[in-house]
Amino acid sequence: MRGWKAGTISARSCWRSQVDRLTLHEDPRSGNCYKIKLTAALLGLPLEVRQYDIMKGETRTPEFLAQVNSNGRIPVLQIGDSFLPESNAACWFLAEGSDLIPGDRFQRADMLRWMFFEQYNHEPNVATLRFWLHFIGEPNLSDQQRAQLIAKRIAGCDALTLMDRHLADRDWFVGTGASLADIALYAYTHVAEEGGFGLGDYPAIGRWLERVSTLPGYVPMS
Amino acid sequence: MRGWKAGTISARSCWRSQVDRLTLHEDPRSGNCYKIKLTAALLGLPLEVRQYDIMKGETRTPEFLAQVNSNGRIPVLQIGDSFLPESNAACWFLAEGSDLIPGDRFQRADMLRWMFFEQYNHEPNVATLRFWLHFIGEPNLSDQQRAQLIAKRIAGCDALTLMDRHLADRDWFVGTGASLADIALYAYTHVAEEGGFGLGDYPAIGRWLERVSTLPGYVPMS
């Protein structure tokens, strides 16, 4: 268990006193967990952490499935006695009322657009290849996994290319400042080389990664 | 092009006059497109429709990629001159300020949790098998697609089982009324049998499907 130092993203309303104790159920190797820690750090929110080893099946135990998440996955953000799975939903919960969610209606929806893109087009390819190649190891992959390597490589490159083009003439994914869209996409993009993606091919992404890493309150992945 | 009749879900603020003309770029066979039409119908929002045939590559033309969505996908909700891809983000845009988004902070994030679950655990399995088996046809699948049939069947059944257990003792996914979580999950669940999923195995889902289909303003998929 540890807390995170205060960040300096301004909150539009001071709601810290209104929420219960926050506990993140996580595996520190997971970019999805890191999103939530980075959001909390940028907002200066204290977050306790309970760690699980997904490689040892610690999120598939009967206790975890009954009490934390019936989907057997981390991260889960615990707010008092309530449990909130899905990384991007947890980031939304933490950031409501802060400048990490745009005040403009279209921009707010456009931020969610990039967060859904992240979960549909980016994470299943960029994060999955990182997990397979960096943590499981190519010799240990199943035939089923091995058969998907090329398709996931192509789809991951497509997602990175789309991001690079979007960032070519702007600093942030939505509007003029960092939002949850940047945090969601940063998490697995900045470690994409662990999945065999060459980030040198995406110069606008490279500049944006640097921009995110210098936000006040930023914390590294581990 | 056609409009949708008015629904009776109450809007907390009358914002219809505040937004520009709404046009949905869609393929009517897509459940992701249907989500947006159902949301608009329940809210009584007029929505114009421009149809594309995804089987003929009409969302991969240079014009579509340049003007509508660089990701080459539908649906895209056009709001005046702005384009918003990702079905669940478009539903969010339409429903802001209405009872389809809970007023409670935790419930609002929990609704997004189910919408991210839908795009990560449900759609890539339940919707993809429907597309492969009902529209492409099993004899026409690639070896790559065929190799994924069993894994997608298992993952789709897991998603439906999780939904069925969640609905066993409640009427709606979040809180005490219909929200965007129900609309997002309804779209491909109610046609899951076209993907070979037997809905008779999920009695709580069956009762919930009936509940959604009797909401005031409900429109069928096509």
Side-chain angles (χ1 to χ4, degrees):
Chain A
M1 297 275 192
R2 65 193 182 99
W4 295 94
K5 67 174 182 173
T8 60
I9 294 281
S10 69
R12 280 196 289 272
S13 62
C14 182
W15 60 268
R16 283 180 56 170
S17 60
Q18 301 166 27
V19 296
D20 295 305
R21 177 172 161 175
L22 299 168
T23 305
L24 179 64
H25 298 260
E26 70 138 5
D27 184 318
R29 294 166 293 195
S30 157
N32 283 325
C33 297
Y34 172 57
K35 289 175 197 171
I36 301 171
K37 291 190 287 193
L38 180 53
T39 300
L42 294 175
L43 293 168
L45 294 173
L47 189 64
E48 295 180 350
V49 170
R50 180 165 173 194
Q51 293 185 347
Y52 302 80
D53 188 336
I54 55 173
M55 306 290 280
K56 294 181 181 166
E58 292 179 0
T59 63
R60 303 275 175 177
T61 64
E63 294 74 21
F64 186 93
L65 296 172
Q67 292 167 20
V68 183
N69 186 6
S70 57
N71 202 11
R73 291 174 176 272
I74 46 93
V76 175
L77 179 64
Q78 183 178 351
I79 304 138
D81 296 328
S82 300
F83 294 86
L84 183 61
E86 299 295 332
S87 58
N88 289 346
C91 290
W92 175 282
F93 178 85
L94 293 178
E96 267 207 354
S98 82
D99 288 344
L100 289 177
I101 298 180
D104 174 77
R105 182 188 186 136
F106 180 82
Q107 288 184 4
R108 200 159 44 243
D110 203 33
M111 180 192 80
L112 285 171
R113 164 259 186 122
W114 286 107
M115 295 168 79
F116 282 109
F117 165 85
E118 189 268 336
Q119 283 290 287
Y120 196 87
N121 290 93
H122 188 283
E123 203 269 8
N125 303 302
V126 177
T128 298
L129 283 190
R130 171 177 175 262
F131 185 65
W132 288 358
L133 301 177
H134 190 67
F135 293 107
I136 297 181
E138 191 162 357
N140 305 316
L141 296 181
S142 68
D143 290 343
Q144 176 90 356
Q145 289 169 327
R146 207 177 300 277
Q148 295 179 66
L149 286 176
I150 293 173
K152 285 189 180 291
R153 174 74 59 212
I154 292 170
C157 289
D158 285 348
L160 292 170
T161 299
L162 192 145
M163 290 169 61
D164 198 62
R165 287 184 183 156
H166 183 73
L167 289 168
D169 60 357
R170 72 192 85 202
D171 286 348
W172 306 101
F173 270 89
V174 178
T176 56
S179 76
L180 294 183
D182 300 284
I183 294 175
L185 285 162
Y186 178 83
Y188 283 111
T189 303
H190 88 296
V191 291
E193 294 194 337
E194 294 177 356
F197 294 95
L199 289 178
D201 298 337
Y202 309 101
I205 286 180
R207 294 190 294 273
W208 165 78
L209 291 177
E210 174 69 17
R211 219 169 280 135
V212 174
S213 71
T214 53
L215 284 171
Y218 173 88
V219 288
M221 189 155 169
S222 58
Chain B
M1 298 273 190
R2 64 195 181 98
W4 296 94
K5 66 175 181 173
T8 59
I9 294 279
S10 69
R12 281 196 289 272
S13 63
C14 182
W15 61 269
R16 283 180 57 170
S17 58
Q18 300 166 30
V19 295
D20 295 304
R21 178 171 161 177
L22 300 167
T23 304
L24 178 65
H25 298 259
E26 69 136 8
D27 184 319
R29 294 166 292 195
S30 156
N32 284 324
C33 298
Y34 171 58
K35 289 175 197 173
I36 301 170
K37 292 191 287 193
L38 181 53
T39 300
L42 294 175
L43 293 168
L45 294 172
L47 189 64
E48 295 182 351
V49 170
R50 179 162 173 197
Q51 294 186 346
Y52 303 79
D53 188 335
I54 54 172
M55 306 291 280
K56 294 181 181 166
E58 291 179 0
T59 64
R60 304 274 174 179
T61 64
E63 294 74 22
F64 186 91
L65 295 173
Q67 292 167 19
V68 183
N69 185 7
S70 57
N71 202 13
R73 292 173 176 273
I74 45 91
V76 175
L77 180 63
Q78 182 178 351
I79 304 138
D81 297 327
S82 300
F83 294 87
L84 183 62
E86 299 294 333
S87 57
N88 289 345
C91 290
W92 175 281
F93 179 86
L94 293 178
E96 267 207 353
S98 83
D99 289 344
L100 288 178
I101 297 180
D104 173 78
R105 180 185 187 141
F106 180 81
Q107 288 184 4
R108 197 159 48 244
D110 203 33
M111 180 193 81
L112 285 171
R113 164 260 186 118
W114 285 108
M115 294 167 80
F116 282 109
F117 166 84
E118 188 268 335
Q119 283 290 287
Y120 195 89
N121 289 93
H122 187 283
E123 203 267 11
N125 303 301
V126 177
T128 298
L129 283 189
R130 170 177 176 263
F131 185 65
W132 288 359
L133 301 176
H134 190 67
F135 292 106
I136 296 181
E138 191 163 357
N140 305 316
L141 296 182
S142 67
D143 291 343
Q144 176 91 355
Q145 290 169 327
R146 206 177 301 277
Q148 294 179 67
L149 285 176
I150 293 174
K152 285 190 180 291
R153 175 73 59 211
I154 293 170
C157 289
D158 285 348
L160 293 169
T161 299
L162 194 146
M163 289 168 62
D164 198 62
R165 288 183 184 156
H166 184 73
L167 290 167
D169 59 357
R170 72 194 82 203
D171 286 348
W172 307 100
F173 270 90
V174 177
T176 56
S179 75
L180 295 183
D182 300 285
I183 294 174
L185 284 162
Y186 178 83
Y188 283 110
T189 302
H190 89 296
V191 292
E193 293 193 337
E194 294 177 357
F197 294 94
L199 289 177
D201 298 337
Y202 309 101
I205 287 179
R207 294 191 293 274
W208 165 78
L209 291 176
E210 175 69 18
R211 220 170 278 134
V212 174
S213 71
T214 53
L215 284 171
Y218 173 88
V219 290
M221 189 154 169
S222 58

